[in-house]
Amino acid sequence: MQTQPKASHFIDGQYVEDTSGELIEVVYPATGEVIAKVHAATPAIIEQAITAAHRAQKDWAKMSGTARGRVLRRAADIMRERNHDLSVLETYDTGKPYQETSVADATSGADALEYFGGLAGSLTGEHIQLGDDWVYTRREPLGLCVGIGAWNYPTQIACWKGAPALACGNAMIFKPSENTPLCALKVAEILMEAGAPAGLYNVVQGMGAVGASLVTDPRVDKVSLTGSVPTGKKVYAAAAAGIKHVTMELGGKSPLVIFDDANLEDAVGGAILANFYSSGQICSNGTRVFVQKGLRAAFVKRLAERLGTAVIGDPMDPETNFGPLVSARQMEIVQGYIAKGVAEGATLVCGGERLDKPGFWITPVIFDGVTDEMTIAREEIFGPVLSVLEFEDEDEVIARANATEFGLSAGVFTNDFTRAHRVIAQLEAGTCFINSYNDAPVEAPFGGMKNSGVGRENSKAAIEHYSQLKTVYVRMGHVEAPY
Ligand code: NAD
């Protein structure tokens, strides 16, 4: 497959290059080979993107919602038709196994385009009767939205931000992570092919500095970031200086609580989905696995057995279900946490070996006997490291699960449905699961509480974050003024 894009950026309906921008080498995580080279956006490129997006947005907002939606739904169809090639590219960009990318990336991007395409025609304001007078509200676009992505879901993030933004009549400039610059370019290409006007959805490459210059530009109306909490704090502050709208999808250290009446196989399956998909590089992962005392030994034994059957190897092989980490740097970060876990007294049940081959491979890790104060129980690792923490009763586990700055996700496994709902209601997290983990259908709101985020992606809730209301008071009679 051709992994080198025609040029670094996609602006005003076409590929654009400016080789004076800093060089970014795109590395295939499975082999460490350089598979493409792009350049970070220069001020001239950013200017070109903002000018094009501004122009395109004006005309796009004048179209009917149904007509806008038709473009998005056409783009969804094209994405599905090209799922194989897009999935292979996603695997090159991220290292995630094709077995995952072929069902979770372009497909979920297409779901977002289809869903928001369907909603676009039904976006309305309301009519409020006040005696003879009345008020109506107009749901208007925000204008120019900037999307900034993390590297774990490059296609999905580009669509989860782009689809609601465009449905509401906005234009978008998307800056992918510098680790995974390839996939968003395909999203831009497909949108143009589906009939979006040139300039409506632009992609510019670059590191944090490019993101920062977009966030601070006064012509940008909204910023949606998917990234870590420290980056979120910087971007939120910069956006606040310009009173811009924000959506912040940030990191997590989510609790997965398993009571001893849970179905063991389901709980183990849930813990696997909560920790090892995408080699553990998922924001919503339930990495603090609280297991009730009576079930803990059996749980750890069965988990280790099932993890032993993971197929680790060539990500392009459809049988492979566990791939490398995204970069050498991420691998070093994860190795550092594993070493800390051991040094602080956790029991390494299995995993953590670096595979003796090129690329960024670490085998999946189970730590048992983890306590709340250990570094691996407090900080987001963003790698395949599961920590088992023992608990005795419900009140205790709720307090311990909530004792974190994060609040992205939480899960409960139990066969006692009253308890399931009672516990979930008390967990401080935005996206929760009962007897399941990490499902993210486009119909459901997704996002975090506390330091894990602001705003929601997906579902009808996202419309609130990509549009604004204008209130219009209409007087039917004469104006009575005191003077
Ligand atoms: P990161 O915070 O390092 O970078 C995210 C993006 O922000 C990148 O595109 C980066 O170039 C850009 N950036 C960095 N500094 C910036 C600045 N000052 N101004 C503007 N942009 C800037 O995150 P990452 O390492 O790419 O991704 C991993 C993190 O993302 C994890 O913490 C993970 O939990 C989080 N994440 C959250 C979600 C979610 O939906 N909540 C989803 C995926 C990943």
Side-chain angles (χ1 to χ4, degrees):
M1 165 180 268
Q2 167 72 338
T3 46
Q4 175 63 43
K6 283 186 211 144
S8 300
H9 319 286
F10 194 94
I11 298 172
D12 212 359
Q14 53 191 328
Y15 277 95
V16 178
E17 191 55 273
D18 180 351
T19 52
S20 64
E22 197 177 333
L23 180 68
I24 299 171
E25 292 191 329
V26 188
V27 172
Y28 180 36
T31 61
E33 286 166 295
V34 175
I35 53 163
K37 292 179 181 176
V38 295
H39 294 269
T42 55
I45 287 286
I46 293 172
E47 193 56 36
Q48 221 177 313
I50 292 179
T51 307
H54 246 269
R55 191 206 59 236
Q57 193 266 329
K58 301 271 178 281
D59 295 336
W60 179 249
K62 283 186 195 140
M63 286 166 59
S64 73
T66 306
R68 289 200 299 264
R70 196 175 303 132
V71 171
L72 298 185
R73 285 185 287 108
R74 224 182 273 139
D77 290 344
I78 300 174
M79 281 194 94
R80 289 213 177 86
E81 280 159 23
R82 296 190 195 154
N83 185 43
H84 171 73
D85 286 356
L86 294 169
S87 304
V88 171
L89 189 67
E90 176 98 17
T91 292
Y92 274 121
D93 223 1
T94 61
K96 293 189 291 181
Y98 177 81
Q99 192 187 93
E100 275 186 34
T101 57
S102 57
V103 297
D105 291 282
T107 53
S108 69
D111 283 353
L113 290 163
E114 186 174 4
Y115 177 83
F116 288 106
L119 273 189
S122 58
L123 302 178
T124 57
E126 64 177 338
H127 167 101
I128 305 159
Q129 194 69 44
L130 297 163
D132 289 337
D133 292 354
W134 46 286
V135 163
Y136 67 95
T137 60
R138 288 166 48 90
R139 184 166 291 282
E140 298 190 349
L142 302 174
L144 172 52
C145 302
V146 162
I148 301 177
W151 41 257
N152 56 345
Y153 280 85
T155 305
Q156 183 188 82
I157 295 171
C159 293
W160 278 19
K161 298 189 187 307
L166 268 47
C168 292
N170 304 285
M172 172 153 278
I173 299 177
F174 186 78
K175 188 203 84 64
S177 162
E178 55 272 35
N179 284 311
T180 53
L182 304 179
C183 297
L185 292 167
K186 292 290 171 196
V187 174
E189 254 185 59
I190 287 170
L191 278 162
M192 293 305 118
E193 221 179 304
L200 190 70
Y201 187 97
N202 309 277
V203 175
V204 300
Q205 309 292 352
M207 282 55 116
V210 170
S213 62
L214 288 166
V215 173
T216 48
D217 193 289
R219 293 165 291 179
V220 168
D221 302 289
K222 189 218 159 99
V223 179
S224 176
L225 169 78
T226 297
S228 61
V229 172
T231 303
K233 287 181 178 171
K234 282 189 226 160
V235 172
Y236 199 178
I243 318 283
K244 296 182 200 300
H245 298 259
V246 294
T247 300
M248 295 280 144
E249 291 291 351
L250 308 177
K253 188 76 196 174
S254 301
L256 170 57
V257 179
I258 298 171
F259 286 94
D260 55 16
D261 68 338
N263 176 302
L264 179 63
E265 285 305 316
D266 286 344
V268 168
I272 290 171
L273 294 179
N275 280 275
F276 300 116
Y277 210 64
S278 302
S279 300
Q281 303 163 115
I282 297 187
C283 51
S284 50
N285 273 358
T287 48
R288 290 184 295 144
V289 182
F290 291 94
V291 188
Q292 205 165 13
K293 200 172 177 181
L295 194 67
R296 184 182 130 206
F299 174 85
V300 172
K301 181 170 175 285
R302 189 66 189 121
L303 181 64
E305 277 169 13
R306 284 182 58 176
L307 218 52
T309 67
V311 182
I312 306 176
D314 176 7
M316 295 298 174
D317 181 341
E319 295 303 313
T320 297
N321 51 30
F322 189 88
L325 291 160
V326 76
S327 63
R329 180 165 174 268
Q330 192 61 21
M331 183 178 69
E332 281 154 21
I333 291 171
V334 173
Q335 284 175 310
Y337 277 111
I338 296 169
K340 263 190 194 149
V342 172
E344 293 178 16
T347 306
L348 183 64
V349 177
C350 61
E353 300 99 21
R354 169 132 202 230
L355 294 191
D356 184 21
K357 59 185 204 157
F360 317 124
W361 300 87
I362 302 228
T363 57
V365 177
I366 304 171
F367 272 119
D368 194 10
V370 178
T371 55
D372 298 350
E373 63 285 352
M374 287 181 186
T375 310
I376 55 168
R378 286 187 290 106
E379 296 181 12
E380 183 182 45
I381 299 175
F382 226 56
V385 183
L386 179 156
S387 292
V388 175
L389 301 95
E390 186 179 284
F391 74 95
E392 293 198 18
D393 69 57
E394 193 179 305
D395 289 344
E396 169 210 335
V397 78
I398 290 167
R400 290 171 63 194
N402 285 339
T404 167
E405 62 167 315
F406 301 106
L408 186 52
S409 294
V412 175
F413 274 81
T414 175
N415 275 330
D416 176 343
F417 266 75
T418 315
R419 173 158 67 189
H421 296 291
R422 188 172 60 229
V423 171
I424 279 292
Q426 293 174 81
L427 292 177
E428 296 162 358
T431 311
C432 296
F433 309 91
I434 293 176
N435 292 336
S436 189
Y437 208 91
N438 265 345
D439 315 76
V442 68
E443 296 86 350
F446 180 88
M449 293 179 178
K450 294 157 83 176
N451 280 1
S452 290
V454 173
R456 291 292 177 270
E457 293 199 303
N458 289 343
S459 79
K460 283 181 256 174
I463 298 300
E464 299 299 329
H465 301 289
Y466 283 99
S467 61
Q468 57 193 338
L469 291 178
K470 176 181 282 174
T471 301
V472 183
Y473 189 103
V474 181
R475 182 175 296 283
M476 301 301 285
H478 293 294
V479 175
E480 285 178 25
Y483 312 107

